[in-house]
Amino acid sequence: MKLKQDMQLYKYNYLYLLTYTLISSLFCSGCTLSRMANLARKQEITIQPNPLYASGQQVEFDLKAQIPSKLYHDKQLYKLDVYYEYGTYEREDVATLNFNFGEFIYEDKKPTIIRHLAFPYAPEKDKGRLMVQGLIVDKRNDNIKVMQPMEVATGLITTPLLVTRNNKTDYLPDNFTEIADGPAVVPFYFGKEDSKPSKSLGSSLVILDKYALDNIKSQQIIVEGSQSPDEEAEGVASVADKRARAIEAFYLQRVKTLDYNNKKIRVQRKVLKTNWNLLLQKVKASALPQAEIQQVINIINSNQEEKEKALQQTAAYEYLQQYIYPALRFTKVVFNYNRDRKADYEIYVLAKKIAEEKIEASMLTEDELQYAATLTPLLAEKRKLYEAAVKTTDKWPAYYNLGTVYIEMARKEYRAPAKQALLARAIHNLTFAGFRNPTAEVYYSLASAYHLRSDKLEALQYYDYAIKLGGSKEILHRIFADKAALEIEIGQYDDAIKSLRYAGDSYQTTINLGLSYLLKDNYEGAEEYYKKALKQKPGGVLAHYSLALIGARTGNEQQLEEQLRLAVRADGSYMERAINDLEFAPYKGKPSFEDALSR
């Protein structure tokens, strides 16, 4: 009986002790979290710049957070949520900072986190607040103490957004019509000293028959004969003429046999004998060592009469005989029209069927398939046709034009995720175009796609690459101008000014020079360039607005009023911009600002 009572007493004491321990633990945990919360109120948050600056498509800033050393504890975790609050309960989460071991440094004996942070810019975010909110988490039981949010920066300065960019990407010039509607060339190649048409000339003879059968009123033909230097040197000086006469006679005989339309044929015969210019071109494009190429060039460009004998003494002569001279032994027939030219509607219909995989790609040539894409204004159709060209040709023009289509589609897309996806596809195709044809034009388009996507480091890399590849003054001016715009967006104003030295003397260049100096607080230099921009483009609203900003920063209220009034009169949307612009905040309610907006 006594044992039973002792057991009940023990059980009662155990339950009491367990309950007391749990209550005490919860109470102490609450005490600890409250004590930690009091410590957290002594945290120091520094934001640079403040107010925040919108630049390009991003708002970037540096955040430094310091907490009291006692706030760091192995049993509690202090977290700091960083977010931007704007509009009606809109929130842009930026980052979460954890004061865990290894995630902070000590500065002045205080746990410190320094981060470069960013969030996407949108016009509706111009009015907003950068907030931080601390959370204390008890690692033992996951209890959380949430701190009151704290505002650390207000609104956005949007002056860096006044940068001017081009990033114009063009389709490759289409010369299909010019070529297709131009003269047709039918070549015939002969063996050494040979001049007689034979079955060895292959399909070219079949093509001649098709021209002989054409139902037209008249034909104009140029028959051009050529020979290699060794043929002329061996005393067969008339072989080029024989080749031209033989092909001419063959064609006229075929017309006589096949033609029932009595078309008139006018023939012009040309004899080139040795075509030294053509030989020079082929030697330069050959696989000969450079020293041997130069030796041959020197002989061809010399005034000596027996150039062929001199060539025989060179180390390159065997190569010339085997790979270059045979290409000089030809007759070329030029017709004044191209009988294979398909009508535009036929090309377009066939191209659509190829894109839909209803017919074989061989139904059109590579040039015809790409030309088909120029026949429709619809970007979706252009995309399908260039995709078919990529699939069937795998050549750089198709990749380049497809990339350009995606950029154009992205410019018209307002949904951010879809826009990013389109630009990613543009980058993919332009990269392949660059692999196959590394030129300044291709890499400028690739840099522009990265720039539009806000991939700034990649864009800067490809702008530099495009410049190093070299090109015309026009393309280099465009590259340097947009490279400078990017450098302004990332805050590298000195680099932008250097780039703009090589960007020509366009309105874009002048405006961006003004902005670079404005952002460097060199107001005298900025004003000089904005006034120059107004000479280049009288009434330019951006120049007037920027001069008003300089007036605001320098306290020149007369300039502020005059220039802002001119900007608002030129473009009414600048009234709302000025009202929301933090640059003008000190002047709100003053006559200089209010009168300027009265228009």
Side-chain angles (χ1 to χ4, degrees), residues 410-428:
R411 289 184 190 277
K412 297 182 179 182
E413 178 59 66
Y414 293 98
R415 296 168 298 173
K419 187 184 189 79
Q420 292 292 91
L422 289 168
L423 288 171
R425 291 177 184 175
I427 288 166
H428 172 82

Side-chain angles (χ1 to χ4, degrees), residues 321-544:
Q321 283 190 310
Q322 188 171 356
Y323 298 108
I324 294 181
Y325 282 1
L328 303 179
R329 301 169 188 145
F330 65 82
T331 292
K332 184 169 62 179
V333 183
V334 182
F335 291 89
N336 63 320
Y337 65 94
N338 190 339
R339 68 178 315 278
D340 291 330
R341 169 73 155 99
K342 297 181 180 72
D344 284 356
Y345 77 88
E346 184 182 1
I347 292 174
Y348 178 66
V349 170
L350 289 173
K352 285 194 70 175
K353 289 182 178 179
I354 290 171
E356 295 165 359
E357 298 185 346
K358 292 180 179 178
I359 61 173
E360 294 294 324
S362 59
M363 294 297 293
L364 291 177
T365 67
E366 296 172 10
D367 292 334
E368 286 172 333
L369 185 53
Q370 293 230 55
Y371 173 65
T374 70
L375 300 175
T376 174
L378 302 176
L379 291 178
E381 286 193 353
K382 280 184 185 288
R383 175 181 62 81
K384 288 181 180 178
L385 295 177
Y386 282 130
E387 282 176 345
V390 164
K391 187 175 180 180
T392 57
T393 72
D394 195 39
K395 292 187 177 177
W396 81 267
Y399 282 105
Y400 178 85
N401 284 329
L402 180 56
T404 302
V405 169
Y406 278 124
I407 289 178
E408 199 171 342
M409 294 175 74
R411 289 184 190 277
K412 297 182 179 182
E413 178 59 66
Y414 293 98
R415 296 168 298 173
K419 187 184 189 79
Q420 292 292 91
L422 289 168
L423 288 171
R425 291 177 184 175
I427 288 166
H428 172 82
N429 286 284
L430 290 170
T431 299
F432 276 92
F435 289 158
R436 289 159 172 76
N437 184 50
T439 62
E441 289 84 351
V442 172
Y443 279 103
Y444 168 64
S445 297
L446 182 56
S448 294
Y450 275 117
H451 196 165
L452 292 167
R453 201 168 184 258
S454 291
D455 293 332
K456 296 179 181 179
L457 293 179
E458 288 83 357
L460 194 59
Q461 175 185 342
Y462 282 105
Y463 281 135
D464 283 338
Y465 194 19
I467 291 166
K468 289 171 184 173
L469 287 170
S472 65
K473 271 193 175 182
E474 179 187 357
I475 186 65
L476 289 175
H477 284 171
R478 286 170 62 184
I479 298 168
F480 271 113
D482 283 334
K483 176 176 180 280
L486 175 57
E487 287 163 340
I488 291 171
E489 291 172 6
I490 60 179
Q492 296 178 357
Y493 308 132
D494 290 329
D495 290 339
I497 292 169
K498 289 177 184 177
S499 294
L500 289 167
R501 291 176 186 170
Y502 309 107
D505 196 30
S506 66
Y507 179 75
Q508 176 183 343
T509 298
T510 307
I511 279 286
N512 285 346
L513 276 168
L515 181 59
S516 299
Y517 282 109
L518 172 58
L519 296 173
K520 281 169 60 67
D521 299 331
N522 183 340
Y523 303 124
E524 186 177 342
E527 190 168 338
E528 178 184 340
Y529 281 109
Y530 283 128
K531 287 179 177 178
K532 179 183 176 182
L534 286 172
K535 291 179 181 177
Q536 293 174 315
K537 185 179 179 180
V541 62
L542 187 54
H544 284 306

Side-chain angles (χ1 to χ4, degrees), residues 221-403:
I221 301 171
I222 299 171
V223 183
E224 187 177 292
S226 176
Q227 63 191 40
S228 59
D230 57 344
E231 290 177 315
E232 183 175 358
E234 293 181 14
V236 197
S238 61
V239 71
D241 184 52
K242 287 180 180 179
R243 285 168 180 158
R245 288 179 183 277
I247 293 297
E248 177 186 348
F250 177 85
Y251 181 69
L252 292 176
Q253 180 60 42
R254 298 304 291 166
V255 170
K256 186 177 180 180
T257 303
L258 302 172
D259 180 46
Y260 295 95
N261 303 298
N262 295 318
K263 56 177 170 278
K264 294 180 180 179
I265 300 175
R266 189 173 70 186
V267 181
Q268 179 185 358
R269 193 184 322 115
K270 291 183 179 181
V271 179
L272 299 175
K273 294 189 178 179
T274 298
N275 189 337
W276 293 106
N277 288 332
L278 180 58
L279 175 58
L280 194 64
Q281 291 175 23
K282 290 186 175 297
V283 167
K284 288 180 178 178
S286 72
L288 285 166
Q290 187 58 42
E292 294 181 20
I293 289 175
Q294 191 58 51
Q295 187 181 18
V296 173
I297 290 173
N298 292 340
I299 293 172
I300 293 173
N301 290 334
S302 69
N303 294 323
Q304 56 185 303
E305 292 183 5
E306 297 185 347
K307 295 179 182 179
E308 164 62 15
K309 285 186 177 180
L311 290 173
Q312 290 177 15
Q313 307 305 315
T314 64
Y317 191 67
E318 184 180 348
Y319 185 97
L320 294 177
Q321 283 190 310
Q322 188 171 356
Y323 298 108
I324 294 181
Y325 282 1
L328 303 179
R329 301 169 188 145
F330 65 82
T331 292
K332 184 169 62 179
V333 183
V334 182
F335 291 89
N336 63 320
Y337 65 94
N338 190 339
R339 68 178 315 278
D340 291 330
R341 169 73 155 99
K342 297 181 180 72
D344 284 356
Y345 77 88
E346 184 182 1
I347 292 174
Y348 178 66
V349 170
L350 289 173
K352 285 194 70 175
K353 289 182 178 179
I354 290 171
E356 295 165 359
E357 298 185 346
K358 292 180 179 178
I359 61 173
E360 294 294 324
S362 59
M363 294 297 293
L364 291 177
T365 67
E366 296 172 10
D367 292 334
E368 286 172 333
L369 185 53
Q370 293 230 55
Y371 173 65
T374 70
L375 300 175
T376 174
L378 302 176
L379 291 178
E381 286 193 353
K382 280 184 185 288
R383 175 181 62 81
K384 288 181 180 178
L385 295 177
Y386 282 130
E387 282 176 345
V390 164
K391 187 175 180 180
T392 57
T393 72
D394 195 39
K395 292 187 177 177
W396 81 267
Y399 282 105
Y400 178 85
N401 284 329
L402 180 56

Side-chain angles (χ1 to χ4, degrees), residues 91-335:
R91 170 172 168 153
E92 180 83 43
D93 290 317
V94 180
T96 296
L97 310 181
N98 295 310
F99 282 86
N100 268 326
F101 178 76
E103 295 187 47
F104 64 86
I105 60 173
Y106 278 99
E107 187 176 294
D108 298 329
K109 299 182 180 180
K110 296 178 182 178
T112 304
I113 292 179
I114 300 173
R115 293 283 187 274
H116 182 76
L117 302 175
F119 59 89
Y121 171 75
E124 59 268 23
K125 297 176 185 178
D126 288 353
K127 288 184 175 181
R129 303 182 300 166
L130 184 68
M131 309 291 291
V132 296
Q133 185 172 32
L135 295 91
I136 305 168
V137 181
D138 193 316
K139 296 178 182 179
R140 296 166 295 182
N141 50 33
D142 290 334
N143 283 346
I144 297 175
K145 175 72 174 180
V146 180
M147 308 287 295
Q148 282 293 323
M150 181 172 69
E151 179 182 316
V152 291
T154 305
L156 300 176
I157 294 286
T158 57
T159 303
L161 296 178
L162 300 179
V163 67
T164 301
R165 283 165 51 181
N166 185 348
N167 292 129
K168 184 181 179 183
T169 53
D170 300 313
Y171 296 103
L172 291 174
D174 178 65
N175 57 1
F176 171 80
T177 302
E178 181 182 342
I179 294 171
D181 292 340
V185 179
V186 184
F188 299 86
Y189 291 95
F190 295 85
K192 186 178 180 182
E193 299 181 26
D194 189 14
S195 61
K196 294 180 180 180
S198 64
K199 291 182 179 179
S200 63
L201 297 179
S203 60
S204 294
L205 293 176
V206 177
I207 295 172
L208 280 188
D209 280 354
K210 291 181 179 179
Y211 277 98
L213 281 164
D214 278 346
N215 181 14
I216 56 175
K217 292 182 179 181
S218 65
Q219 280 180 341
Q220 295 177 16
I221 301 171
I222 299 171
V223 183
E224 187 177 292
S226 176
Q227 63 191 40
S228 59
D230 57 344
E231 290 177 315
E232 183 175 358
E234 293 181 14
V236 197
S238 61
V239 71
D241 184 52
K242 287 180 180 179
R243 285 168 180 158
R245 288 179 183 277
I247 293 297
E248 177 186 348
F250 177 85
Y251 181 69
L252 292 176
Q253 180 60 42
R254 298 304 291 166
V255 170
K256 186 177 180 180
T257 303
L258 302 172
D259 180 46
Y260 295 95
N261 303 298
N262 295 318
K263 56 177 170 278
K264 294 180 180 179
I265 300 175
R266 189 173 70 186
V267 181
Q268 179 185 358
R269 193 184 322 115
K270 291 183 179 181
V271 179
L272 299 175
K273 294 189 178 179
T274 298
N275 189 337
W276 293 106
N277 288 332
L278 180 58
L279 175 58
L280 194 64
Q281 291 175 23
K282 290 186 175 297
V283 167
K284 288 180 178 178
S286 72
L288 285 166
Q290 187 58 42
E292 294 181 20
I293 289 175
Q294 191 58 51
Q295 187 181 18
V296 173
I297 290 173
N298 292 340
I299 293 172
I300 293 173
N301 290 334
S302 69
N303 294 323
Q304 56 185 303
E305 292 183 5
E306 297 185 347
K307 295 179 182 179
E308 164 62 15
K309 285 186 177 180
L311 290 173
Q312 290 177 15
Q313 307 305 315
T314 64
Y317 191 67
E318 184 180 348
Y319 185 97
L320 294 177
Q321 283 190 310
Q322 188 171 356
Y323 298 108
I324 294 181
Y325 282 1
L328 303 179
R329 301 169 188 145
F330 65 82
T331 292
K332 184 169 62 179
V333 183
V334 182
F335 291 89

